[in-house]
Amino acid sequence: MLSTPLAAALARRDIHYAWVVVAVTFLSMLVSAGAVGAPGVLLLPLQREFGWDTADISTAMAIRLLLFGLMGPFAAAMINRFGVRRMVLSSLTLVGGGLLASLAMREVWQLILLWGFVVGFGTGLTAMVLGATIATRWFVARRGLVIGLLTASSATGQLVFMPLLSMLTEAYGWRSAIALLCGLIAVAALAMLALMRDHPANLGLSAFGEVEGAPPAVPAGAILAAALGALRNAAVTRTFWVLFATFFICGASTNGLIQTHLIPLCVDFSVPEVQAAGLLALMGIFDFVGTVGSGWLSDRYDNRWLLVWYYGLRGLSLLYLPYSDFTLYGLSVFAVFYGLDWIATVPPTVRLTAERFGRERANLVFGWIFAGHQLGAAAAAFGAGLSRSTLQTYLPAFATAGALCLFAAVLVPMIGGRAKPVAAE
């Protein structure tokens, strides 16, 4: 294992090993996110090759997003129980295996099994709680910034890979894009195996910015009891349900809708697939700026009001989309404006969770809140596909998502002022 000598070498240069952990986690989340986002590029090629209906393909995507979210609270408990490195390696192995097996699929049930259940379960083993775990376990100072960086890796990975995957698919077929993702997953797994440690205390360190000794490790307990216990304690508070509801809307307006259906929507308006994928990449670039900036802001300002702005601006951008006329200029304005806000909601949501429910239980509670995010994503992925199949247009789904975002902006102030963390039983 390279972590011990590397940590000693970095310490001599006054560099905390926590930043290596962030880098390895960033890579793993980036590659996993590329796998999660790939179906948005491959929807139309699968239709052309196999003749599958949009609603059928959307069913597989909805299952994937649903499992990705529902596994969140249990993923947090398993990370606490078995360790970060072991769970991330298990996740990458399942996702890579599911994608590799899909190279030979011929029937829609195989798509649902591999891309829905296997990839959904595999990505759900770490889900978004991985970034929250690393940020709260390894950092006291700069926690919001780290959450922003890791969140940006997930969202940006889902978008930046799109043009490359689209070009590979157009030139060599969709299987070449899947093969590339499998190779990248293998690289990320090797980096995780060599460099990740579960706790700062494993290297004799305190968390970055910790003024006292290294904090104790999170006690390992029964996975189901830990996850359900966190839900039971959190569910009695209004804060939990407001965060859950607004994160449901967040999922419905991001990876469930834009990531999955923006390319087919653009094709409906005669925008070439590669150009539409380029818009997603542009969103990814601005998302990175917006989400890292959101992390920086969340360390300094009231996170509730940040969320009000984020949801309100996202809602306006979605309502603007049908009026862009789907020209290059109009879509570019949408991509920049929406991209800055793509998943900027995560750093404030994680910080509010940690403040209200305590540092050691933050990843468990956030796992349940993230389940709400993916329930919204699954509903939007399926609902938008159903809208396209039955009404021959995606536009009602996009208008509904915009209105929901404005509603979320109204909900957030109900969280109230800073409260004491909910005590564990």
Side-chain angles (χ1 to χ4, degrees), residues 165-195:
L165 298 180
S166 182
M167 288 186 289
L168 280 174
T169 300
E170 188 174 85
Y172 304 107
W174 62 270
R175 290 175 181 83
S176 64
I178 295 297
L180 173 65
L181 285 173
C182 291
L184 293 173
I185 287 171
V187 172
L190 289 173
M192 180 64 59
L193 182 65
L195 298 172

Side-chain angles (χ1 to χ4, degrees), residues 44-359:
L44 292 175
L46 291 174
Q47 283 182 321
R48 287 192 290 264
E49 179 170 337
F50 299 110
W52 296 335
D53 186 75
T54 302
D56 291 333
I57 300 174
S58 295
T59 298
M61 297 182 184
I63 291 171
R64 171 179 55 86
L65 293 169
L66 187 62
L67 283 175
F68 183 49
L70 292 179
M71 284 294 295
F74 304 99
M78 285 189 286
I79 287 172
N80 290 350
R81 178 73 172 81
F82 300 112
V84 172
R85 186 162 64 112
R86 188 177 299 175
M87 293 309 303
V88 175
L89 288 173
S90 299
S91 171
L92 293 172
T93 300
L94 269 177
V95 173
L99 291 177
L100 196 61
S102 72
L103 295 174
M105 67 183 177
R106 293 291 183 272
E107 303 292 336
V108 71
W109 69 265
Q110 296 168 334
L111 174 76
I112 293 172
L113 173 64
L114 295 171
W115 285 14
F117 287 98
V118 176
V119 174
F121 183 79
T123 54
L125 286 178
T126 53
M128 191 69 76
V129 299
L130 175 60
T133 300
I134 295 300
T136 56
R137 186 175 291 181
W138 282 84
F139 288 85
V140 174
R142 305 289 188 272
R143 185 181 295 165
L145 177 63
V146 171
I147 293 170
L149 282 168
L150 296 180
T151 301
S153 74
S154 181
T156 302
Q158 293 173 17
L159 301 177
V160 169
F161 280 113
M162 295 294 193
L164 177 59
L165 298 180
S166 182
M167 288 186 289
L168 280 174
T169 300
E170 188 174 85
Y172 304 107
W174 62 270
R175 290 175 181 83
S176 64
I178 295 297
L180 173 65
L181 285 173
C182 291
L184 293 173
I185 287 171
V187 172
L190 289 173
M192 180 64 59
L193 182 65
L195 298 172
M196 176 57 71
R197 298 302 295 267
D198 292 329
H199 293 276
N202 295 148
L203 294 170
L205 300 173
S206 300
F208 182 87
E210 185 81 37
V211 294
E212 299 177 357
V218 179
I223 293 169
L224 186 62
L228 294 180
L231 176 63
R232 183 174 62 252
N233 291 330
V236 299
T237 68
R238 182 174 63 188
T239 295
F240 173 80
W241 290 110
V242 172
L243 291 174
F244 185 93
T246 53
F247 233 39
F248 177 97
I249 293 169
C250 181
S253 57
T254 53
N255 51 349
L257 185 67
I258 294 292
Q259 176 190 311
T260 305
H261 293 291
L262 181 64
I263 292 177
L265 170 69
C266 289
V267 170
D268 283 349
F269 287 88
S270 302
V271 178
E273 290 177 48
V274 174
Q275 182 178 323
L279 288 171
L280 287 172
L282 182 63
M283 285 183 193
I285 293 169
F286 281 91
D287 162 72
F288 188 87
V289 175
T291 306
V292 174
S294 175
W296 184 86
L297 291 170
S298 71
D299 284 330
R300 291 161 174 80
Y301 299 102
D302 190 328
N303 288 270
R304 295 169 302 155
W305 294 110
L306 292 177
L307 289 177
V308 169
W309 279 100
Y310 296 158
Y311 283 117
L313 293 173
R314 184 188 299 173
L316 293 175
S317 68
L318 287 168
L319 294 174
Y320 158 79
L321 181 59
Y323 300 98
S324 68
D325 295 325
F326 292 88
T327 61
L328 179 61
Y329 174 77
L331 287 173
S332 297
V333 170
F334 169 76
V336 171
F337 190 52
Y338 180 91
L340 286 169
D341 196 16
W342 170 271
I343 203 162
T345 53
V346 174
T349 301
V350 172
R351 285 195 64 92
L352 286 169
T353 303
E355 289 173 2
R356 268 52 175 193
F357 301 103
R359 175 180 169 189

